[in-house]
PDB file of all heavy atoms in Angstrom:
ATOM      1  N   SER B  65       1.328   7.988  -3.912  1.00 98.00           N
ATOM      2  CA  SER B  65       0.959   8.530  -5.225  1.00 98.00           C
ATOM      3  C   SER B  65       2.093   8.237  -6.185  1.00 98.00           C
ATOM      4  O   SER B  65       3.145   7.750  -5.782  1.00 98.00           O
ATOM      5  CB  SER B  65       0.748  10.043  -5.164  1.00 98.00           C
ATOM      6  OG  SER B  65       1.996  10.733  -5.184  1.00 98.00           O
ATOM      7  N   PRO B  67       5.170   9.624  -8.684  1.00 96.00           N
ATOM      8  CA  PRO B  67       6.090  10.732  -8.443  1.00 96.00           C
ATOM      9  C   PRO B  67       5.500  12.040  -8.986  1.00 96.00           C
ATOM     10  O   PRO B  67       4.957  12.058 -10.080  1.00 96.00           O
ATOM     11  CB  PRO B  67       7.344  10.349  -9.255  1.00 96.00           C
ATOM     12  CG  PRO B  67       7.213   8.900  -9.547  1.00 96.00           C
ATOM     13  CD  PRO B  67       5.749   8.580  -9.557  1.00 96.00           C
ATOM     14  N   GLY B  68       5.557  13.083  -8.175  1.00 97.00           N
ATOM     15  CA  GLY B  68       5.144  14.392  -8.671  1.00 97.00           C
ATOM     16  C   GLY B  68       3.673  14.725  -8.515  1.00 97.00           C
ATOM     17  O   GLY B  68       3.238  15.807  -8.902  1.00 97.00           O
ATOM     18  N   ALA B  69       2.876  13.826  -7.952  1.00 98.00           N
ATOM     19  CA  ALA B  69       1.444  14.106  -7.795  1.00 98.00           C
ATOM     20  C   ALA B  69       1.197  15.155  -6.714  1.00 98.00           C
ATOM     21  O   ALA B  69       0.150  15.804  -6.693  1.00 98.00           O
ATOM     22  CB  ALA B  69       0.682  12.824  -7.459  1.00 98.00           C
ATOM     23  N   GLY B  70       2.174  15.300  -5.787  1.00 98.00           N
ATOM     24  CA  GLY B  70       2.041  16.368  -4.796  1.00 98.00           C
ATOM     25  C   GLY B  70       2.068  15.913  -3.345  1.00 98.00           C
ATOM     26  O   GLY B  70       1.561  16.607  -2.473  1.00 98.00           O
ATOM     27  N   LYS B  71       2.707  14.785  -3.063  1.00 98.00           N
ATOM     28  CA  LYS B  71       2.761  14.289  -1.675  1.00 98.00           C
ATOM     29  C   LYS B  71       3.469  15.286  -0.754  1.00 98.00           C
ATOM     30  O   LYS B  71       2.950  15.641   0.303  1.00 98.00           O
ATOM     31  CB  LYS B  71       3.487  12.930  -1.604  1.00 98.00           C
ATOM     32  CG  LYS B  71       2.769  11.798  -2.302  1.00 98.00           C
ATOM     33  CD  LYS B  71       3.532  10.494  -2.215  1.00 98.00           C
ATOM     34  CE  LYS B  71       4.864  10.511  -2.953  1.00 98.00           C
ATOM     35  NZ  LYS B  71       4.797  10.807  -4.399  1.00 98.00           N
ATOM     36  N   THR B  72       4.662  15.718  -1.152  1.00 97.00           N
ATOM     37  CA  THR B  72       5.419  16.624  -0.285  1.00 97.00           C
ATOM     38  C   THR B  72       4.724  17.982  -0.186  1.00 97.00           C
ATOM     39  O   THR B  72       4.664  18.580   0.895  1.00 97.00           O
ATOM     40  CB  THR B  72       6.865  16.784  -0.803  1.00 97.00           C
ATOM     41  OG1 THR B  72       7.397  15.476  -1.082  1.00 97.00           O
ATOM     42  CG2 THR B  72       7.751  17.441   0.230  1.00 97.00           C
ATOM     43  N   SER B  73       4.164  18.449  -1.295  1.00 98.00           N
ATOM     44  CA  SER B  73       3.432  19.723  -1.271  1.00 98.00           C
ATOM     45  C   SER B  73       2.242  19.639  -0.321  1.00 98.00           C
ATOM     46  O   SER B  73       1.977  20.564   0.454  1.00 98.00           O
ATOM     47  CB  SER B  73       2.924  20.072  -2.673  1.00 98.00           C
ATOM     48  OG  SER B  73       3.990  20.097  -3.587  1.00 98.00           O
ATOM     49  N   ARG B 103      12.786  19.804   2.757  1.00 95.00           N
ATOM     50  CA  ARG B 103      11.601  20.673   2.656  1.00 95.00           C
ATOM     51  C   ARG B 103      10.778  20.599   3.942  1.00 95.00           C
ATOM     52  O   ARG B 103      10.241  21.602   4.410  1.00 95.00           O
ATOM     53  CB  ARG B 103      10.738  20.263   1.454  1.00 95.00           C
ATOM     54  CG  ARG B 103      11.248  20.787   0.123  1.00 95.00           C
ATOM     55  CD  ARG B 103      10.620  20.072  -1.059  1.00 95.00           C
ATOM     56  NE  ARG B 103       9.187  20.354  -1.227  1.00 95.00           N
ATOM     57  CZ  ARG B 103       8.438  19.799  -2.182  1.00 95.00           C
ATOM     58  NH1 ARG B 103       8.965  18.941  -3.042  1.00 95.00           N
ATOM     59  NH2 ARG B 103       7.163  20.096  -2.282  1.00 95.00           N
ATOM     60  N   GLU B 145       5.537   9.515   3.913  1.00 98.00           N
ATOM     61  CA  GLU B 145       5.474   9.730   2.463  1.00 98.00           C
ATOM     62  C   GLU B 145       6.134   8.538   1.789  1.00 98.00           C
ATOM     63  O   GLU B 145       7.341   8.339   1.901  1.00 98.00           O
ATOM     64  CB  GLU B 145       6.168  11.042   2.042  1.00 98.00           C
ATOM     65  CG  GLU B 145       6.116  11.221   0.523  1.00 98.00           C
ATOM     66  CD  GLU B 145       6.693  12.532  -0.013  1.00 98.00           C
ATOM     67  OE1 GLU B 145       6.787  13.519   0.753  1.00 98.00           O
ATOM     68  OE2 GLU B 145       7.044  12.556  -1.211  1.00 98.00           O
ATOM     69  N   ASN B 192      -5.556  16.154  -6.718  1.00 98.00           N
ATOM     70  CA  ASN B 192      -4.735  17.362  -6.542  1.00 98.00           C
ATOM     71  C   ASN B 192      -4.528  18.101  -7.871  1.00 98.00           C
ATOM     72  O   ASN B 192      -4.807  17.572  -8.931  1.00 98.00           O
ATOM     73  CB  ASN B 192      -3.379  16.982  -5.930  1.00 98.00           C
ATOM     74  CG  ASN B 192      -2.545  18.197  -5.544  1.00 98.00           C
ATOM     75  OD1 ASN B 192      -3.091  19.249  -5.194  1.00 98.00           O
ATOM     76  ND2 ASN B 192      -1.223  18.085  -5.628  1.00 98.00           N
ATOM     77  N   LYS B 193      -4.016  19.309  -7.754  1.00 98.00           N
ATOM     78  CA  LYS B 193      -3.722  20.198  -8.888  1.00 98.00           C
ATOM     79  C   LYS B 193      -5.010  20.590  -9.611  1.00 98.00           C
ATOM     80  O   LYS B 193      -5.024  20.721 -10.846  1.00 98.00           O
ATOM     81  CB  LYS B 193      -2.697  19.569  -9.859  1.00 98.00           C
ATOM     82  CG  LYS B 193      -1.426  19.076  -9.149  1.00 98.00           C
ATOM     83  CD  LYS B 193      -0.267  18.838 -10.098  1.00 98.00           C
ATOM     84  CE  LYS B 193       0.907  18.190  -9.346  1.00 98.00           C
ATOM     85  NZ  LYS B 193       2.078  17.941 -10.171  1.00 98.00           N
ATOM     86  N   ASP B 195      -6.211  23.326  -9.771  1.00 98.00           N
ATOM     87  CA  ASP B 195      -5.968  24.589 -10.489  1.00 98.00           C
ATOM     88  C   ASP B 195      -5.560  24.374 -11.940  1.00 98.00           C
ATOM     89  O   ASP B 195      -5.682  25.272 -12.772  1.00 98.00           O
ATOM     90  CB  ASP B 195      -4.892  25.402  -9.743  1.00 98.00           C
ATOM     91  CG  ASP B 195      -3.573  24.644  -9.636  1.00 98.00           C
ATOM     92  OD1 ASP B 195      -3.509  23.652  -8.866  1.00 98.00           O
ATOM     93  OD2 ASP B 195      -2.604  25.015 -10.305  1.00 98.00           O
ATOM     94  N   LEU B 196      -5.088  23.158 -12.265  1.00 98.00           N
ATOM     95  CA  LEU B 196      -4.638  22.878 -13.639  1.00 98.00           C
ATOM     96  C   LEU B 196      -5.758  22.374 -14.543  1.00 98.00           C
ATOM     97  O   LEU B 196      -5.537  22.148 -15.740  1.00 98.00           O
ATOM     98  CB  LEU B 196      -3.499  21.844 -13.629  1.00 98.00           C
ATOM     99  CG  LEU B 196      -2.176  22.267 -12.986  1.00 98.00           C
ATOM    100  CD1 LEU B 196      -1.133  21.158 -13.099  1.00 98.00           C
ATOM    101  CD2 LEU B 196      -1.641  23.548 -13.646  1.00 98.00           C
ATOM    102  N   SER B 224      -6.045  21.749  -4.179  1.00 98.00           N
ATOM    103  CA  SER B 224      -4.930  22.334  -4.911  1.00 98.00           C
ATOM    104  C   SER B 224      -3.908  22.793  -3.889  1.00 98.00           C
ATOM    105  O   SER B 224      -4.195  23.670  -3.077  1.00 98.00           O
ATOM    106  CB  SER B 224      -5.369  23.516  -5.774  1.00 98.00           C
ATOM    107  OG  SER B 224      -4.204  24.223  -6.202  1.00 98.00           O
ATOM    108  N   CYS B 225      -2.748  22.212  -3.940  1.00 98.00           N
ATOM    109  CA  CYS B 225      -1.686  22.635  -3.016  1.00 98.00           C
ATOM    110  C   CYS B 225      -1.140  23.986  -3.439  1.00 98.00           C
ATOM    111  O   CYS B 225      -0.451  24.652  -2.677  1.00 98.00           O
ATOM    112  CB  CYS B 225      -0.564  21.597  -2.984  1.00 98.00           C
ATOM    113  SG  CYS B 225      -1.106  20.049  -2.283  1.00 98.00           S
ATOM    114  N   ARG B 226      -1.447  24.393  -4.658  1.00 98.00           N
ATOM    115  CA  ARG B 226      -0.972  25.690  -5.137  1.00 98.00           C
ATOM    116  C   ARG B 226      -1.861  26.824  -4.625  1.00 98.00           C
ATOM    117  O   ARG B 226      -1.366  27.820  -4.105  1.00 98.00           O
ATOM    118  CB  ARG B 226      -0.933  25.677  -6.660  1.00 98.00           C
ATOM    119  CG  ARG B 226      -0.337  26.926  -7.234  1.00 98.00           C
ATOM    120  CD  ARG B 226      -0.355  26.872  -8.755  1.00 98.00           C
ATOM    121  NE  ARG B 226       0.028  28.184  -9.265  1.00 98.00           N
ATOM    122  CZ  ARG B 226       1.192  28.431  -9.830  1.00 98.00           C
ATOM    123  NH1 ARG B 226       2.078  27.478  -9.960  1.00 98.00           N
ATOM    124  NH2 ARG B 226       1.460  29.634 -10.280  1.00 98.00           N
TER     125      ARG B 226
HETATM  126  N1  GDP C 326      -0.095  23.635 -10.313  1.00 53.48           N
HETATM  127  C1  GDP C 326       0.092  22.871  -9.239  1.00 53.48           C
HETATM  128  N2  GDP C 326       1.295  22.321  -9.011  1.00 53.48           N
HETATM  129  C2  GDP C 326       1.434  21.544  -7.907  1.00 53.48           C
HETATM  130  C3  GDP C 326       0.365  21.303  -7.008  1.00 53.48           C
HETATM  131  N3  GDP C 326       0.803  20.484  -6.022  1.00 53.48           N
HETATM  132  C4  GDP C 326       2.106  20.228  -6.287  1.00 53.48           C
HETATM  133  N4  GDP C 326       2.494  20.870  -7.416  1.00 53.48           N
HETATM  134  C5  GDP C 326       3.831  20.850  -8.047  1.00 53.48           C
HETATM  135  O1  GDP C 326       4.077  19.529  -8.518  1.00 53.48           O
HETATM  136  C6  GDP C 326       5.458  19.214  -8.398  1.00 53.48           C
HETATM  137  C7  GDP C 326       5.645  17.922  -7.598  1.00 53.48           C
HETATM  138  O2  GDP C 326       5.167  18.098  -6.277  1.00 53.48           O
HETATM  139  P1  GDP C 326       5.711  17.283  -5.045  1.00 53.48           P
HETATM  140  O3  GDP C 326       4.955  17.730  -3.855  1.00 53.48           O
HETATM  141  O4  GDP C 326       7.196  17.346  -4.978  1.00 53.48           O
HETATM  142  O5  GDP C 326       5.253  15.807  -5.463  1.00 53.48           O
HETATM  143  P2  GDP C 326       5.653  14.372  -4.848  1.00 53.48           P
HETATM  144  O6  GDP C 326       6.694  13.801  -5.747  1.00 53.48           O
HETATM  145  O7  GDP C 326       4.386  13.547  -4.907  1.00 53.48           O
HETATM  146  O8  GDP C 326       6.123  14.584  -3.452  1.00 53.48           O
HETATM  147  C8  GDP C 326       6.103  20.420  -7.719  1.00 53.48           C
HETATM  148  O9  GDP C 326       6.704  21.209  -8.708  1.00 53.48           O
HETATM  149  C9  GDP C 326       4.943  21.134  -7.068  1.00 53.48           C
HETATM  150  O10 GDP C 326       5.152  22.519  -6.951  1.00 53.48           O
HETATM  151  C10 GDP C 326      -0.915  21.912  -7.284  1.00 53.48           C
HETATM  152  O11 GDP C 326      -1.903  21.753  -6.590  1.00 53.48           O
HETATM  153  N5  GDP C 326      -0.984  22.681  -8.424  1.00 53.48           N
END
Side-chain angles (χ1 to χ4, degrees):
Chain B
S65 79
K71 294 179 295 301
T72 312
S73 304
R103 280 164 68 182
E145 179 176 338
N192 188 30
K193 308 197 187 181
D195 60 289
L196 294 182
S224 166
C225 294
R226 185 181 171 108

